Amino acid sequence: MKKMKVALIIICLGLVVSVLISRFSAAHEQKPKEDAFLTFLTKHPAQSSIAFIHNERTFEHNSFEAFPLASAVKMIIAIEYATQVSKGMINPNESVPLKTLNAYYIGLDGDAHYQWQNSLKEEKKVRGNRVTIEEIAKGMIQFSSNANAEYLIERLGLPEINEQLNRLHLNDHTPVYAFGGSPFIPYEVMKGNITKKNKEEAKKKVHKLSQKEWNEYALTVHQKLKEDVNGEYKQKVNIKNWYDRDFDRMFSDRFTTGTTHDYVQLMNRLNNRELSPKVHQYLDPLLEWPMKSPQIQQDFQRFGAKGGSTAYVLTDALYATSKDGEKTAVAIFLKDLTPSQQEKLQQSMEAFEYRLLTDTAYQTEVEKQLSGEK
């Protein structure tokens, strides 16, 4: 039981963005005593990447290096959702049974999926155990529900989602795949026979998979989860019996990758509303939900973000327009972290981002330190 508790923490894909409001509020009230996050960036350049745009000013560090995206990739799914809604291909008000969504839930997301559902029930947005597609998309972004992402992958189509990469000029982005169920891949590789005794053999086989084979297995799992309304498949997999840190690290390393250079350009385009007005009509309410916060409203006209994490990866991409019209876009990706590093950096990242958004002198200091100037 202790081992599984660890795994639950390790595999939490979403840097649950609901902490965004509280984290910026805290940073606003008290500046950090020491900038642990900037220290990590300067001392571990190979493990970190950052790209920054403030009005016409830019700086980048390791920004063309590919990093695992974790749940930051859900932003691409959100853009495809908004695109299809704008074209009349998807009705955002269509209601979907919760049992359809729950079929994709494998229980390893830090309980984000059910936190989302509980919030909807509190707001009385669940009717007849059904919820709208618009709320599903919002739950994918705000609560980082992996089950919601899997459902939208099914509805929107992986080819269509990946075509967005071309339209958005994300040139160094690897294809999006059905990542939510990929922890089940070892079970499929072992043809339904994985136990504590043979999992070392399973690790060797999984490690040898090409990325194409990995993505194909992930799609197989996705299709099985789609049909697993009664939970029989998940019960057979019995992931609690064999999943450990080694599998988790493989899972994290196999994630879709992208660069901060590409993502900061995307954030800047979203901040400037450079997509079609109809797309922004449906996209902005998804990404800019933090604007519900009085603290965020006090400091910004616009604020949109999506981040992600595993025990070894930490990512965030955001855009903001201040009250006086100053526009900023930031993308920060970290990789090859230890679980303890990840936890500490996630905490210090909050204050770092707030100061970077609001303090021009600090922007200069960060640029100097990352360039090696003294």
Side-chain angles (χ1 to χ4, degrees):
M1 186 64 186
K2 183 178 180 181
K3 185 178 290 186
M4 190 56 199
K5 184 177 181 181
V6 172
L8 282 168
I9 298 171
I10 292 171
I11 195 173
C12 181
L13 278 179
L15 174 58
V16 181
V17 191
S18 58
V19 303
L20 187 72
I21 292 173
S22 61
R23 81 189 197 182
F24 279 114
S25 298
H28 185 268
E29 293 168 2
Q30 181 179 0
K31 290 185 179 181
K33 293 181 180 179
E34 59 179 357
D35 200 337
F37 197 86
L38 180 55
T39 298
F40 182 88
L41 294 181
T42 56
K43 289 189 175 181
H44 301 85
Q47 293 174 254
S48 59
S49 175
I50 181 172
F52 175 85
I53 299 175
H54 178 73
N55 297 334
E56 301 300 321
R57 176 183 186 178
T58 67
F59 65 78
E60 301 186 6
H61 159 72
N62 208 17
S63 63
F64 288 91
E65 180 73 20
F67 278 63
L69 292 167
S71 281
V73 76
K74 291 172 183 172
M75 196 175 306
I76 307 303
I77 302 174
I79 293 172
E80 179 59 23
Y81 157 81
T83 299
Q84 292 196 22
V85 171
S86 72
K87 294 179 179 180
M89 299 167 63
I90 293 285
N91 178 1
N93 297 315
E94 177 188 338
S95 64
V96 178
L98 288 177
K99 65 180 182 181
T100 300
L101 297 170
N102 294 341
Y104 292 106
Y105 181 64
I106 66 172
L108 300 177
D109 68 347
D111 208 29
H113 183 62
Y114 286 114
Q115 288 178 19
W116 165 67
Q117 290 192 14
N118 290 337
S119 75
L120 289 184
K121 291 173 182 177
E122 291 175 0
E123 296 172 9
K124 298 182 179 180
K125 292 183 178 180
V126 178
R127 297 181 180 179
N129 288 319
R130 302 173 73 93
V131 65
T132 66
I133 294 181
E134 180 182 20
E135 292 299 334
I136 292 170
K138 288 180 178 179
M140 176 186 69
I141 297 298
Q142 180 174 346
F143 288 85
S144 214
S145 167
N146 299 328
N148 289 16
E150 289 293 294
Y151 172 79
L152 289 172
I153 283 172
E154 177 66 26
R155 286 298 302 266
L156 302 173
L158 276 174
E160 289 75 13
I161 292 169
N162 282 309
E163 181 57 31
Q164 275 292 349
L165 303 179
N166 296 324
R167 289 195 290 267
L168 296 170
H169 308 294
L170 301 178
N171 300 320
D172 295 316
H173 207 293
T174 56
V176 180
Y177 67 91
F179 55 85
S182 55
F184 283 10
I185 287 177
Y187 176 85
E188 292 297 327
V189 170
M190 297 301 287
K191 299 180 180 179
N193 180 32
I194 184 168
T195 65
K196 292 180 180 179
K197 292 183 178 180
N198 70 2
K199 69 177 184 178
E200 293 305 316
E201 178 187 355
K203 290 174 185 178
K204 293 178 182 179
K205 290 185 176 182
V206 171
H207 183 73
K208 291 180 180 179
L209 293 178
S210 67
Q211 189 63 46
K212 180 181 179 181
E213 289 172 326
W214 176 276
N215 293 0
E216 289 172 350
Y217 271 115
L219 189 57
T220 295
V221 174
H222 172 88
Q223 294 300 332
K224 290 185 177 182
L225 288 173
K226 175 185 175 182
E227 301 169 2
D228 194 39
V229 178
N230 58 11
E232 288 183 8
Y233 174 58
K234 288 186 281 288
Q235 187 174 7
K236 289 179 180 178
V237 174
N238 192 19
I239 194 170
K240 293 181 181 181
N241 193 47
W242 51 265
Y243 196 83
D244 62 18
R245 287 181 180 269
D246 292 334
F247 285 121
D248 191 65
R249 183 57 192 259
M250 291 183 207
F251 165 78
S252 182
D253 290 344
R254 294 283 191 155
F255 221 93
T256 296
T257 63
T259 67
T260 56
H261 177 81
D262 276 352
Y263 267 78
V264 80
Q265 296 297 328
L266 175 59
M267 295 301 97
N268 197 46
R269 291 182 65 194
L270 295 179
N271 204 12
N272 291 321
R273 285 192 168 102
E274 293 181 13
L275 306 185
S276 76
K278 284 189 176 181
V279 169
H280 279 287
Q281 178 184 345
Y282 298 104
L283 179 63
D284 293 356
L286 303 187
L287 299 183
E288 297 182 12
W289 69 268
M291 289 301 299
K292 297 176 184 178
S293 163
Q295 179 63 64
I296 299 296
Q297 291 176 20
Q298 177 180 318
D299 294 333
F300 303 101
Q301 296 180 38
R302 305 187 68 209
F303 194 109
K306 185 71 190 89
S309 67
T310 70
Y312 318 98
V313 171
L314 186 60
T315 62
D316 210 9
L318 58 88
Y319 61 86
T321 300
S322 67
K323 283 293 187 179
D324 57 4
E326 299 287 310
K327 293 186 176 183
T328 308
V330 185
I332 304 171
F333 299 164
L334 307 179
K335 66 179 180 179
D336 297 330
L337 306 174
T338 66
S340 61
Q341 279 180 322
Q342 194 274 355
E343 184 177 358
K344 292 177 182 178
L345 287 166
Q346 184 168 323
Q347 295 171 0
S348 59
M349 188 181 202
E350 305 162 0
F352 175 80
E353 288 181 329
Y354 182 84
R355 291 184 66 189
L356 200 58
L357 288 174
T358 58
D359 187 338
T360 55
Y362 189 64
Q363 294 168 10
T364 301
E365 177 64 21
V366 170
E367 182 178 11
K368 285 183 177 180
Q369 290 204 32
L370 292 177
S371 66
E373 294 183 30
K374 295 183 179 180

